[in-house]
Structures are given as C-alpha cells and as structure tokens.
Amino acid sequence: MSPFESIARRERGLLQQLTAAQMTMIAIGGAIGTGLFMGSAFAIGFAGPSVLISYAIGALIGLLLMGCLAEMTVAHPTSGSFGAYAEHYLSPLAGFVVRYAYWAAVVLAVGMEVTAVGKYMKYWFPEVEQWVWVALFSVILAAVNATSVKAFGQMEYVFSMVKVVAIVAFILIGAYVVFGSRPEGVGFSNYTADRGFFPNGWWGTWVGVIVAIFSYLSLESIAIAAGEAQNPRQAVTSAFKTTVLRLVLFYLLSLALMLAIVPWSHASTDKSPFVKVMEIVGIPGAASVLNFVVLVASLSAMNAQLYVTSRMMFSLSRGGYAPAALGKVNSRGVPMGAIAISCLGMAVAMVLNVLKPEESLTLMMSISMFGAMFAWFMVFVTHLFFRRRWQREHPGEHLQFRMWGFPVLTLLGAVLMLAVIITTYFTDVFHMTTLIGVPMLLVMTAVYLIWYRKR
C-alpha cells in the first residue's frame, strides 16, 4: 500500500459517473461567470486597456496552478484533492486549514451567487420579493446535487454550454464590428485614446490581477471532481489540457474586442460592458439577453460551488475533522449530510435578503476571496513537497503527468499568488480580504491545536 493510500481509502464511497467532457465544463462553468460578464467592468476601472495584461497574468497563474494540480491529481485522484495532498505532503494541520478555509470561502460564494440570482430575477419580476427567488433556486439546485453526481454533471454541462455559446457569439459579433462594419469610434485606437494604455500606471494593472484571479477561481474544481470521474487519470489529463486554453481565449479575446468597441472609460461604469457592446451594435433586447446569460452564469457557478464545497466537507469528515454523519453517502453515492451543511451559505443569503443589510455582501466577498486564493497558494507550496517526496518514495517510476519547469515555475506561481494576496491589503476595495482572512487562519490553527492535534 502506498503512503497516500490510507487517505484515498477513507474517502471512497462516491460513485464515479462524471465524464471528461463534463469535468471540462465544470471547470469552465465555474470560471466563466459574473467575474467576466459583470466583474470585467470593475477590472477595467482599475487597469484601463492594460486589463488585458491583468487577465494575462491571472491566466498565467491559473495555467501554473492547473499544471501543479494535474500532476498531483493524476497521481492521487480523490475528492479531498489539494486538502488531502496538503495533509499528506505538508502536515495534518495544513490539510485541516486548507480544507476549512476553502470550504468556508465557497459556502459564502454560494450565498453570493444565489443573492445575485435573486437580483437578476427581479429584472423580470420586480413585484416579487427577492428572497422568494433566493429560496426557490436554493431548493432546486440543492435537489439537483442531492439526486446524483450524474445529474449534477448533466446540469452543469447544460449551464456551461449556454455561457460558452454566448461568449462565442459575442466574439463573432465583436470581430464583425471591429474588422467588418467598423462604425465611427470603433477600433484599436481606443486602447490609447484616453491617457494611454496604462491610464492608472502599473499599479492599476497589478490591482486588476486581483479581479482576474477572482474571475478564474473554480479552475480547481476539476481536481475535486476527479474522485467521481469515470476514468479519473484520463479525464483529468484531458480536462486540464483543454480548460486553460479555452478560458484564456474566451477572456482575452472578448476583452480585447470589447475595449476596441467601447472606450475603457465608458466600459468601466456600473453597467456591464457586454451590454454596452450590444447597444452599440444595435441588438434588440440586449439587456434581457444579457440578464438571462448572467442568470445562467450565477446558477452554473452556484451549482458547481455547492458540489465542490460538499465534497470538501465530505473529505474533512472522513479525515475525522468534522462529524461522522457528514461523511456518509446514500445508495446513490451522494453525501447528503455534507450537501446539507454546505447549504449554509444559501440560508445566510436568504436571511440577508429578508433583512437587506447590503453591506454584508462586501464582507462575504472579502472572506470568500481570501479562502480560495489561500487554497491556490497552498497548491503551489504542496506541489514543491509532493514532487521531491514522490521522487524519493518512487525511484525510477515516472509520473503520468508532469508539471513542466519544476521547481522554477512552481515557485513562480507561489510568489505571484502570495503577492496578489498581500496586494489586497493595500487597496481600498479589497482591504478587508486579508484583514479578515489572516485572523480566520489563526482561529482555524488554534482550533486544530486544541481539539485535533492529539488525534
């Protein structure tokens, strides 16, 4: 038995029903959401046209992360994923903190997405209370996740396909406007027309990377889903190779065309720049079309986030770090207890929508950003220890998937990710991210040392 086998054995019981195509769509679906459709205006406000560099840097970090995760996941496909790897290759404390930080982050992200769903539905049904939609869609997607992993995979595939089709259509329309019809005011001259390509300097470009990373979050969901893939090693390898390329093309192409059509100072308003492009093109019902796409984007992200956070709690339970009931699966291979506790974010969202404390959403975003970004940083750290230990414990045995450029590129990913996390403290908008996140890690460490270390 390999040293990691004890962790893999305790996490068995989930059914392997996800295909490689579904796993690819899970990652794409999670990463293409409000971060692109609505958050791009936020990033453009920081960086101006140089937001293209911001998203390129974010894509580089995502690419390095996927390479590290792919190598470890192909070697050890399990639902605990990077949390289980941190436990085995770093320490039980690291595995505990990474999994709980990520679980808490994604639970709050689920609440944020379902709150957004309520706002989008209010566009068509202004007379219906927002909390009604929050409750309705919470029940529907919780039921989908509780049915079977196969049902979840099919639903996420459909959601993600809608978003992919919408982005491809936008790219084709944008390309026609920029290179075909070329109306007045449209062209790549918009990149430098207003204070140049770097209107807010390199600092603005770097701050835009924070938004880019937030947009790319959920790439790691492929690794968590590997424990329920039909052929995990083949599915993970295929999904990892195609996901990043598609995401980079979708994000960078759509942003490049958008900035050529709409001057950046107009694209960085509270209205989605995608809507502005469709208004310039003259597509009838542009606002309704985009509202539907963004609604699907939030439902897709919510669906994927509920899945990954329930599997992380399942892993914590099987490791003895949460009640045993949360690690049990039913006859369909679904961890019902883990799904139920992971619906906590939906419950919080519904209460907040009744009481309407709007300022709490900023707090939820700050916490969710930190936990997910910390998990990304720990993936790079874990990979450094994984590769060295693997080579020591498996002399002469080749990894089926190898991260290129080790250890230089793994270190580069860790340094860039740590720099992004530290940068949040020095910005007004994201100041609360580290201010709340670091004490949260200290509390989790104290909980482990007091209750779980002797176990």
Side-chain angles (χ1 to χ4, degrees):
M1 181 186 299
S2 67
F4 188 84
E5 184 62 23
S6 59
I7 294 178
R9 286 180 60 188
R10 78 187 187 207
E11 296 192 356
R12 288 175 182 167
L14 301 171
L15 300 183
Q16 296 177 312
Q17 296 180 326
L18 295 174
T19 66
Q22 288 173 336
M23 289 184 65
T24 299
M25 282 301 190
I26 288 170
I28 291 177
I32 297 178
T34 52
L36 174 62
F37 291 113
M38 303 297 286
S40 54
F42 201 34
I44 293 170
F46 286 122
S50 68
V51 73
L52 294 172
I53 296 178
S54 303
Y55 273 86
I57 295 173
L60 172 63
I61 298 174
L63 176 63
L64 298 177
L65 177 99
M66 295 285 272
C68 294
L69 260 182
E71 181 175 310
M72 295 188 290
T73 303
V74 170
H76 304 304
T78 181
S79 290
S81 185
F82 44 85
Y85 309 149
E87 175 184 341
H88 183 68
Y89 290 101
L90 296 178
S91 70
L93 170 61
F96 175 87
V97 172
V98 168
R99 277 179 283 199
Y100 262 115
Y102 185 78
W103 178 82
V106 183
V107 162
L108 290 174
V110 172
M112 288 172 53
E113 292 294 348
V114 75
T115 298
V117 167
K119 292 182 181 296
Y120 300 146
M121 290 301 296
K122 206 167 183 64
Y123 174 82
W124 291 304
F125 304 97
E127 70 283 357
V128 179
E129 292 293 333
Q130 189 169 301
W131 69 266
V132 174
W133 299 116
V134 172
L136 176 62
F137 283 104
S138 295
V139 170
I140 291 174
L141 291 188
V144 170
N145 272 265
T147 302
S148 69
V149 69
K150 184 177 181 179
F152 156 76
Q154 291 171 337
M155 178 69 76
E156 191 59 26
Y157 189 91
V158 172
F159 280 158
S160 298
M161 187 59 71
V162 170
K163 291 189 288 186
V164 169
V165 169
I167 292 177
V168 170
F170 176 85
I171 290 174
L172 293 175
I173 293 171
Y176 170 74
V177 173
V178 173
F179 299 104
S181 60
R182 288 185 286 185
E184 185 179 353
V186 170
F188 293 108
S189 59
N190 283 331
Y191 284 15
T192 56
D194 187 358
R195 291 184 288 152
F197 190 70
F198 297 95
N200 296 319
W202 279 103
W203 175 251
T205 305
W206 177 246
V207 173
V209 176
I210 300 175
V211 184
I213 292 293
F214 184 74
S215 300
Y216 289 130
L217 290 177
S218 288
L219 284 174
E220 72 285 348
S221 58
I222 292 181
I224 298 173
E228 293 171 271
Q230 292 176 358
N231 187 337
R233 288 177 172 83
Q234 180 182 351
V236 167
T237 301
S238 174
F240 274 118
K241 286 181 177 179
T242 58
T243 300
V244 174
L245 177 61
R246 292 178 183 178
L247 282 176
V248 170
L249 288 175
F250 288 155
Y251 271 88
L252 295 185
L253 276 178
S254 58
L255 286 173
L257 292 169
M258 178 193 303
L259 290 168
I261 297 172
V262 181
W264 76 268
S265 56
H266 297 292
S268 60
T269 61
D270 56 351
K271 183 185 292 187
S272 170
F274 283 80
V275 170
K276 286 185 170 293
V277 170
M278 286 190 281
E279 288 176 345
I280 290 175
V281 175
I283 297 178
S288 292
V289 171
L290 185 85
N291 196 66
F292 172 75
V293 173
V294 176
L295 171 66
V296 171
S298 288
L299 289 173
S300 172
M302 177 184 166
N303 192 41
Q305 289 162 354
L306 180 57
Y307 168 79
V308 298
T309 195
S310 66
R311 270 43 178 189
M312 198 56 71
M313 179 53 67
F314 167 82
S315 175
L316 281 163
S317 175
R318 289 296 181 92
Y321 302 123
L326 302 182
K328 294 181 179 178
V329 297
N330 60 18
S331 59
R332 301 186 302 276
V334 177
M336 293 296 295
I339 290 177
I341 193 69
S342 297
C343 289
L344 181 63
M346 299 180 186
V348 171
M350 190 160 65
V351 172
L352 292 176
N353 275 273
V354 173
L355 302 178
K356 297 182 179 179
E358 296 295 334
E359 66 278 2
S360 64
L361 290 178
T362 304
L363 181 63
M364 290 173 65
M365 177 180 292
S366 298
I367 299 174
S368 65
M369 279 184 64
F370 182 87
M373 290 194 298
F374 174 73
W376 274 35
F377 170 70
M378 290 301 292
V379 167
F380 291 116
V381 175
T382 304
H383 184 251
L384 290 170
F385 287 82
F386 162 83
R387 174 70 73 84
R388 292 191 173 96
R389 186 164 165 183
W390 177 276
Q391 292 173 338
R392 186 173 65 250
E393 294 179 350
H394 304 82
E397 184 177 343
H398 296 289
L399 289 160
Q400 295 184 35
F401 185 99
R402 287 176 64 89
M403 167 65 176
W404 53 95
F406 179 88
V408 175
L409 293 184
T410 302
L411 285 168
L412 175 62
V415 170
L416 288 173
M417 200 63 236
L418 182 61
V420 170
I421 294 173
I422 293 173
T423 301
T424 61
Y425 181 80
F426 297 97
T427 63
D428 293 334
V429 177
F430 304 111
H431 182 68
M432 294 297 291
T433 300
T434 46
L435 209 59
I436 294 175
V438 172
M440 180 181 67
L441 293 183
L442 296 176
V443 170
M444 290 179 181
T445 301
V447 168
Y448 176 85
L449 294 176
I450 294 171
W451 275 283
Y452 294 105
R453 181 176 58 176
K454 291 183 180 180
R455 298 185 188 183

